[in-house]
Amino acid sequence: MKQAETETQQSQLANVRAIFEVLAGDREADLLLRNLNILDVHGETVYQGSILVYDKRIVALNPDESAIRVKEIFDGQGLYAIPGLIDAHLHFESQLAHPTALAEAMVPCGTTTIFAECLDLLSAAGDDGVRAAQLLFRDYDKLPYRLYAFAPGKKTAAWVTKEVLEMEPVIGLGEFEHFTYSKGDEDDFRKAAWVRAKGGFMNGHWGLTALPDMVLNYLPAIGVSNNHDVWNGDDIAKSIRYGFPTQIKFGVGSSEVIKTLLRSIVDRKFPTENFMLCTDNISIERLQKMGHMDWIISLCAEMGISPIKAIKMATYNTAKSYNMDDRIGSLTPGRFADIVLTDSLSSINPRYVFKDGELIAKDRKLLKNADTDYSAMCTPGVPGADDLKPEELDLAPLELSEDGTLAKVYLFDVYGRGHAKFYQEVWVPFQGGKVVPEYEGERFSRLSVIRRYADGNRHVVNGLFKGVYAERGAVATSFPAPIPYFVVVGQDSEEMHYCVQEVDKYSGACIVTEDHMHKSVMPIEIYGMMANMTVDELTSSAAAIDSALEDLGNRNEGEPVVNKLLSLFISLHRFRFMQ
């Protein structure tokens, strides 16, 4: 131990001496970025200047160029220099891309740091969860973005969480499950105790829409670090009143969620120091077409938040919340040289992206990536729906009207969780002994939610679905965590049944069928949660699903259908439609 401490001290001595020599002109710096308009997030001003980089970090602002030596000079062309953007809360699996594919789509948007949950992937891996985490985090330090991860706070066995807490780059515990911590779950107590003992962070998932006020005291009382479970202005007011640094999220699928939140911040004049920006869940297609944190910052400005304050919400505020403002979040000496050059502050356009002082993206194209093979994480399908019968997918009324002409059924809305109700019980026509899938003059497809591996009687929930439509044929996908389920959308039970049986051959997949024939297949074979594809392959595969459904009558808007269906499982779990 003493020898190790001596080596550490010697390394630090060499480092501080080297920085002194760089500033004295006795040693070469790595990079000088000149001709910049630099954003000062502390003073909320912009000033003309230059940035000197050595050993991955900023070592000087506006250095005397006559007194220094430098290996490389970069002309900033008068562009604005802002800190590398930070996503305060991203579910690693939500966009289906593995870590290097995610980099291809995300980093050119100016994002250089993410704080990532990986609970669904590790839950899907089950007893293989520790190995899955090791493979997921392999070569994390070679990625062109800074990764900080969280051990699962829910959906996994406590022993998996405990082992993952000891891994790099894990910095704490991910979000808890509302329905366990509110009941005093012993495993939740252990998980919280472990991370408290380590001095790590705890991600909040506060349950404002699900829990009574007295239970809401529990998470802040045990020291949870943040909260992203807000959906409107009243949620925000309560979250910040309880002392949570609050993460404003893009939400699951619809930009209306974040617009509602930003509108509340502006209208109710909440101090922006309380807030960070995050995506929570996002698709690769949206990253490529609209952007990432750059798009959210631009939306903030459009909604009336000062551009500089919006940038702080995606940089300095997040760094400070995680006690990392000595490393990231500002363009000041001692911080990593994560720098984005943009021609506007109100409409972010990342022209150049630097991480650790190295140019890694230019004009929305990634220049450098890790070379990591994730094929060892691919898993074979384990069929579980062999005994599923087509008639189990028939839409039966929850209740019939007295005259027998109306049936009460569930109506699910893929975008309904944040700004309307995710599900409703509605009355629809009932004719000839069958439900007519029409409500308020609009025709809908049917939806079946099916437990993959039956334990006694198979759990199946049938209803109507708003968000994906098929005049004929069917589309189905699977989700393995915390309990494996299918969802299938269509009009005919026989076709829907066939589509589910085809998905059941894979560990994970999204498949479109018509007349018992495949129209499009997208394998999702990394523990059934991620696709082992490049970004081009992934977007092409998702587009093929959309195209096949368009031939069947769907007119898709927003996220790709595969992402819509996968995000549906989050709400199905939250509202207890998955046992």
Side-chain angles (χ1 to χ4, degrees), residues 37-354:
N37 283 293
I38 303 171
L39 174 61
D40 169 15
V41 296
H42 301 284
E44 298 189 355
T45 61
V46 174
Y47 64 95
Q48 293 182 340
S50 57
I51 297 173
L52 188 66
V53 178
Y54 173 73
D55 192 23
K56 301 182 179 182
R57 295 183 184 252
I58 297 170
V59 292
L61 301 175
N62 289 340
D64 180 353
E65 294 188 24
S66 67
I68 62 171
R69 295 188 294 137
V70 64
K71 295 176 184 177
E72 181 182 355
I73 296 176
F74 185 93
D75 183 0
Q77 307 164 42
L79 296 170
Y80 292 98
I82 65 175
L85 305 180
I86 304 172
D87 190 335
H89 182 84
L90 170 68
H91 286 263
F92 221 9
E93 319 91 333
S94 65
Q95 26 62 40
L96 298 176
H98 56 56
T100 59
L102 175 61
E104 290 183 67
M106 179 182 71
V107 173
C109 299
T111 304
T112 57
T113 300
I114 62 172
F115 290 86
E117 294 269 2
C118 53
L119 57 94
D120 285 316
L121 180 79
L122 303 193
S123 175
D127 289 342
D128 202 28
V130 172
R131 174 178 176 271
Q134 291 168 340
L135 292 172
L136 181 68
F137 299 145
R138 183 164 51 99
D139 296 335
Y140 80 92
D141 54 341
K142 298 178 182 177
L143 292 166
Y145 55 89
R146 215 171 293 284
L147 171 63
Y148 298 105
F150 297 87
K154 62 184 180 184
K155 297 186 179 181
T156 63
W159 69 268
V160 173
T161 295
K162 188 174 185 180
E163 292 202 36
V164 175
L165 275 169
E166 300 302 319
M167 296 181 186
E168 294 289 345
V170 175
I171 62 168
L173 183 67
E175 55 192 50
F176 286 101
E177 174 63 75
H178 303 142
F179 305 107
T180 58
Y181 78 68
S182 62
K183 296 176 182 177
D185 181 78
E186 190 65 29
D187 278 354
D188 285 356
F189 293 158
R190 291 191 181 95
K191 292 174 183 178
W194 293 331
V195 77
R196 282 164 61 104
K198 288 176 62 67
F201 298 94
M202 283 188 276
N203 276 348
H205 199 252
W206 203 27
L208 278 166
T209 58
L211 301 177
D213 278 359
M214 280 306 291
V215 177
L216 291 176
N217 286 283
Y218 175 63
L219 293 190
I222 65 171
V224 167
S225 310
N226 54 67
N227 176 42
H228 71 279
D229 194 26
V230 291
W231 295 95
N232 54 52
D234 289 342
D235 289 352
I236 291 173
K238 183 172 285 189
S239 181
I240 62 177
R241 180 172 297 144
Y242 276 66
F244 281 119
T246 300
Q247 297 164 345
I248 303 300
K249 59 187 171 185
F250 167 70
V252 184
S254 173
S255 59
E256 287 305 312
V257 173
I258 194 168
K259 287 181 180 179
T260 298
L261 299 175
L262 295 178
R263 194 175 293 115
S264 297
I265 292 172
V266 172
D267 292 347
R268 296 172 66 163
K269 297 181 173 58
F270 292 124
T272 58
E273 287 74 13
N274 292 296
F275 304 117
M276 301 166 274
L277 297 178
C278 71
T279 52
D280 199 12
N281 296 276
I282 194 169
S283 71
I284 288 295
E285 181 184 77
R286 191 200 158 291
L287 280 170
Q288 292 191 306
K289 288 186 175 179
M290 296 177 64
H292 189 212
M293 308 312 296
D294 55 329
W295 177 82
I296 298 177
I297 291 169
S298 301
L299 179 62
C300 288
E302 181 184 321
M303 298 291 291
I305 294 175
S306 155
I308 291 179
K309 291 185 181 297
I311 292 168
K312 287 181 67 173
M313 289 163 65
T315 56
Y316 179 69
N317 290 7
T318 304
K320 188 174 182 181
S321 174
Y322 285 109
N323 296 337
M324 294 184 186
D325 49 314
D326 61 335
R327 286 175 267 176
I328 55 176
S330 67
L331 301 182
T332 47
R335 280 66 181 175
F336 286 111
D338 299 347
I339 304 165
V340 176
L341 303 187
T342 172
D343 48 26
S344 171
L345 295 182
S346 59
S347 181
I348 303 298
N349 176 30
R351 295 277 308 281
Y352 302 93
V353 182
F354 295 82

Side-chain angles (χ1 to χ4, degrees), residues 479-493:
F479 197 83
I483 299 169
Y485 267 78
F486 303 106
V487 296
V488 58
V489 177
Q491 301 285 355
D492 175 75
S493 296

Side-chain angles (χ1 to χ4, degrees), residues 408-472:
K408 181 185 285 185
V409 298
Y410 289 123
L411 173 61
F412 297 94
D413 180 355
V414 71
Y415 283 160
R417 177 180 167 196
H419 54 91
K421 199 164 185 181
F422 166 62
Y423 75 96
Q424 306 171 63
E425 295 181 3
V426 300
W427 291 96
V428 300
F430 189 72
Q431 299 173 1
K434 292 185 177 181
V435 172
V436 179
E438 293 181 358
Y439 178 63
E440 295 184 341
E442 185 177 357
R443 189 170 180 85
F444 295 98
S445 290
R446 289 164 41 195
L447 172 76
S448 291
V449 182
I450 307 157
R451 184 159 177 164
R452 186 168 188 175
Y453 304 107
D455 182 12
N457 293 327
R458 187 183 302 277
H459 182 234
V460 179
V461 178
N462 300 312
L464 302 181
F465 187 47
K466 182 177 183 180
V468 177
Y469 179 73
E471 293 174 356
R472 58 192 191 279

